[in-house]
Amino acid sequence: MNFVYLLVFLTFGTVLCVQDSYKAASIKSANENVDFNSYLPLIVEAGKSDVDILVLPAQEKTESADKYEEAVKNISDAAKKAGLYIAAHLYEGVQCQNKKEIVRSNIVFDREGKTVSVYKKPMNNLTNCTSVDSEGSFKTDFGVTFGLLMGEDLALYKPETFGGLKNFLVLGGFVPQIPILGGPQLLQSWAYVNRANIISPAGIYASGSAANNGNAMIVADLNKEGADPASPPIMSPSQLQDSPAEDLSLYAVKPLDLESASRGLQETVCHGQLCCQFKIKTKLTGTKPLHTYSLAALRGDRAFSRGQRVGVQSCAIFACPGPDGDTCVTQIEWGELNVIFEQINISGNFSKSNTALYPMVVAADTVPLDNFKFDTKVTDQKLASIELTEARVFSAGIFGRDFDRDANTKSTGENNAYSNFYDYIFNDDVLGIIDYVWIRLRILIFVVSIYILEMI
Ligand SMILES: *[C@@H]1O[C@H](CO)[C@@H](O)[C@H](O)[C@H]1NC(C)=O
Ligand SMILES: *[C@@H]1O[C@H](CO)[C@@H](O)[C@H](O)[C@H]1NC(C)=O
Ligand SMILES: *[C@@H]1O[C@H](CO)[C@@H](O)[C@H](O)[C@H]1NC(C)=O
Ligand SMILES: *[C@@H]1O[C@H](CO)[C@@H](O)[C@H](O)[C@H]1NC(C)=O
Ligand SMILES: *[C@@H]1O[C@H](CO)[C@@H](O)[C@H](O)[C@H]1NC(C)=O
């Protein structure tokens, strides 16, 4: 009898383990092709390898808007054929007061090809015809509740807005005027800070670790509850090829004196109320440094998109091509780096209320988890620090969003509508109850199974 018990436990234990994760996939854009059927072979392959949910690459908006219905049908058929959930970002042309208007649309299909969630947004706010329309989150047959978002949502809303969900589909490219907020860097850091999984056409990010290889399709096993990070949120230049460089003319900047940095240096740079402390020790391979470095601080509001400004606070170090630090504003050529930072410690006193802080690092080396630390501590201020050892960095620092400073753009009315909408959809109480019931149910199922097996 004891042996049977053990067997039951082992079997059940394994089943429970398996149930704690799910399989996600992301297909890289092969071309500018709008024909979704070109992805069918990969989708079928994903189905065969038991992928639960898959995201498709984005399309060119201008051509595809007329083919919305066709695309919906093709993707629905593919989801049914492969037996998995598929999410896509589509453009839909709608007729609006005798003008054609384009609507951005995130749409998710289940294993039967049925639409389970839709999130629509007009391309701009100058319209009376379309408004934001979303189901916010949706549940799956593998026990995971996903938040369905567009790229800019992670930048525009506080993480708490999304009700503590741990799994997100983020689709829909958006190019804000703040480079860092538009690229994969934010996806990765957001996932790291919030211990969340983000599945997007740009890649799959689990608690900061990126499952990205050169393949046409990335597949990753993700822990349903999110997990502790396995690697630090650091990007390589190759992952950021399309990202424009940061505009350092907005920052308070001090050039890094590499001579004293080689002996170990401490420097403070302040911008308004924000003071950033830099502790840096470098060593040089070769005789002459190939780059200069700027220590930078920024506190204020910046243009995010047309007519929209958002509050930011950052402390960071940037590599600049050429001998003259002032030319950092131009595009950094991702070249060879020969300054090794034996230690970087950047800290700042960020404003206490209503901020979200993200570590942002672009480095030429992979950095083990032990060589990276990111801490935030709230006293009478909000102190945050990032520490790195043994890395050649293009940029490293803390990027902060200061949501209080967004207030001056709220007069557009648009932001208000969005925030209220999300406050409602991702209401803590609603999601909390769902989680609570599910956890209870799982324990009940477990206990009952053991009981039944014991009777046999
Ligand atoms: C839908 O599938 C048909 C048939 O394969 C194809 O001709 C068409 O281009 C596809 N359209 C889209 C938008 O994927
Ligand atoms: C939207 O509706 C308002 C009031 O009905 C009207 O004044 C305005 O001109 C409309 N805007 C557009 C772009 O049609
Ligand atoms: C980094 O700086 C912060 C703030 O000054 C400090 O709390 C932390 O101990 C420093 N870490 C190291 C390794 O020096
Ligand atoms: C940060 O420190 C500086 C200098 O000590 C101080 O003037 C400033 O008020 C502090 N900022 C915040 C947000 O507390
Ligand atoms: C729409 O956005 C523009 C900037 O793109 C802004 O100036 C305008 O106030 C906004 N209008 C509404 C009704 O939100």
Side-chain angles (χ1 to χ4, degrees):
M1 195 61 194
N2 277 346
F3 177 69
V4 172
Y5 254 125
L6 184 68
L7 207 64
V8 166
F9 249 104
L10 285 178
T11 321
F12 229 101
T14 321
V15 170
L16 278 185
C17 272
V18 168
Q19 284 180 345
D20 281 344
S21 71
Y22 65 98
K23 217 173 226 192
S26 164
I27 294 181
K28 282 219 190 88
S29 180
N31 41 38
E32 302 291 280
N33 202 337
V34 291
D35 182 357
F36 277 105
N37 278 346
S38 60
Y39 299 118
L40 198 55
L42 282 176
I43 295 172
V44 169
E45 184 193 320
K48 282 187 186 139
S49 39
D50 293 328
V51 166
D52 295 297
I53 191 161
L54 174 146
V55 295
L56 289 173
Q59 306 165 287
E60 268 308 305
K61 70 166 175 281
T62 38
E63 296 164 51
S64 60
D66 297 332
K67 297 188 176 169
Y68 179 77
E69 301 294 335
E70 207 181 302
V72 166
K73 182 172 185 308
N74 287 3
I75 300 168
S76 161
D77 288 349
K80 190 171 180 184
K81 183 162 186 214
L84 43 71
Y85 286 78
I86 299 184
H89 184 74
L90 303 175
Y91 295 96
E92 182 181 5
V94 295
Q95 207 61 31
C96 169
Q97 289 162 346
N98 299 325
K99 280 194 313 231
K100 203 171 111 192
E101 194 173 286
I102 296 178
V103 175
R104 305 163 72 200
S105 172
N106 276 351
I107 182 162
V108 187
F109 303 89
D110 69 10
R111 300 185 205 267
E112 259 78 59
K114 286 206 286 286
T115 308
V116 285
S117 192
V118 179
Y119 176 10
K120 284 180 200 259
K121 242 190 217 191
M123 291 290 286
N124 63 51
N125 65 346
L126 306 167
T127 173
N128 285 342
C129 303
T130 35
S131 54
V132 180
D133 174 23
S134 171
E135 280 131 34
S137 65
F138 67 95
K139 285 196 277 183
T140 55
D141 65 4
F142 48 100
V144 175
T145 302
F146 286 92
L148 180 61
L149 304 177
M150 295 198 193
E152 69 276 15
D153 295 337
L154 293 183
L156 290 177
Y157 308 112
K158 282 177 277 183
E160 300 88 73
T161 314
F162 307 122
L165 286 180
K166 289 292 178 193
N167 296 277
F168 294 90
L169 302 179
V170 181
L171 297 100
F174 181 81
V175 185
Q177 289 168 22
I178 307 171
I180 227 168
L181 290 182
Q185 262 186 297
L186 182 67
L187 296 178
Q188 188 180 37
S189 283
W190 202 96
Y192 174 86
V193 169
N194 297 296
R195 300 288 187 267
N197 301 314
I198 292 179
I199 309 164
S200 80
I204 299 177
Y205 304 94
S207 307
S209 307
N212 293 326
N213 49 31
N215 297 347
M217 182 167 67
I218 308 158
V219 179
D221 281 307
L222 300 174
N223 193 307
K224 289 179 183 177
E225 311 290 333
D228 287 336
S231 61
I234 293 177
M235 288 256 144
S236 70
S238 63
Q239 292 170 285
L240 288 171
Q241 258 156 5
D242 303 331
S243 297
E246 179 65 314
D247 181 1
L248 286 195
S249 69
L250 300 166
Y251 289 73
V253 172
K254 264 188 202 172
L256 174 68
D257 179 355
L258 281 170
E259 184 64 38
S260 12
S262 66
R263 295 186 298 270
L265 154 151
Q266 273 202 43
E267 191 76 82
T268 302
V269 183
C270 297
H271 192 228
Q273 289 269 295
L274 174 68
C275 284
C276 305
Q277 276 214 321
F278 298 84
K279 291 179 206 162
I280 285 168
K281 190 163 187 315
T282 58
K283 78 180 171 217
L284 189 66
T285 59
T287 49
K288 211 168 147 279
L290 296 168
H291 290 75
T292 60
Y293 294 82
S294 293
L295 310 175
L298 172 64
R299 181 160 191 238
D301 61 290
R302 288 177 72 172
F304 179 75
S305 63
R306 205 160 55 96
Q308 199 169 19
R309 298 184 77 80
V310 298
V312 296
Q313 305 182 9
S314 342
C315 293
I317 177 170
F318 295 94
C320 315
D324 179 8
D326 293 345
T327 62
C328 268
V329 284
T330 58
Q331 176 93 31
I332 288 182
E333 290 137 24
W334 307 109
E336 190 68 17
L337 291 176
N338 67 347
V339 173
I340 298 167
F341 289 83
E342 295 183 310
Q343 196 212 357
I344 299 182
N345 184 351
I346 303 171
S347 59
N349 60 346
F350 299 87
S351 67
K352 189 172 156 185
S353 69
N354 220 5
T355 52
L357 302 173
Y358 303 101
M360 298 279 199
V361 181
V362 183
D365 311 282
T366 54
V367 176
L369 199 55
D370 285 346
N371 288 4
F372 174 87
K373 219 168 116 190
F374 175 69
D375 274 329
T376 52
K377 181 167 70 196
V378 180
T379 54
D380 49 331
Q381 302 166 325
K382 188 167 192 170
L383 300 171
S385 67
I386 181 172
E387 290 170 40
L388 266 177
T389 39
E390 295 297 330
R392 290 172 301 156
V393 301
F394 288 99
S395 65
I398 302 160
F399 184 91
R401 277 280 286 112
D402 181 355
F403 297 100
D404 281 342
R405 292 243 179 176
D406 297 354
N408 35 6
T409 63
K410 278 198 174 166
S411 55
T412 60
E414 186 190 33
N415 287 341
N416 263 332
Y418 287 168
S419 325
N420 294 342
F421 165 77
Y422 271 115
D423 285 350
Y424 173 73
I425 294 287
F426 289 97
N427 185 298
D428 273 350
D429 295 341
V430 176
L431 291 168
I433 288 169
I434 296 170
D435 280 352
Y436 178 82
V437 170
W438 173 234
I439 289 167
R440 291 293 124 156
L441 206 61
R442 278 209 306 203
I443 293 171
L444 187 70
I445 293 170
F446 183 68
V447 170
V448 168
S449 323
I450 288 181
Y451 183 73
I452 292 171
L453 283 163
E454 197 184 349
M455 307 240 300
I456 295 171

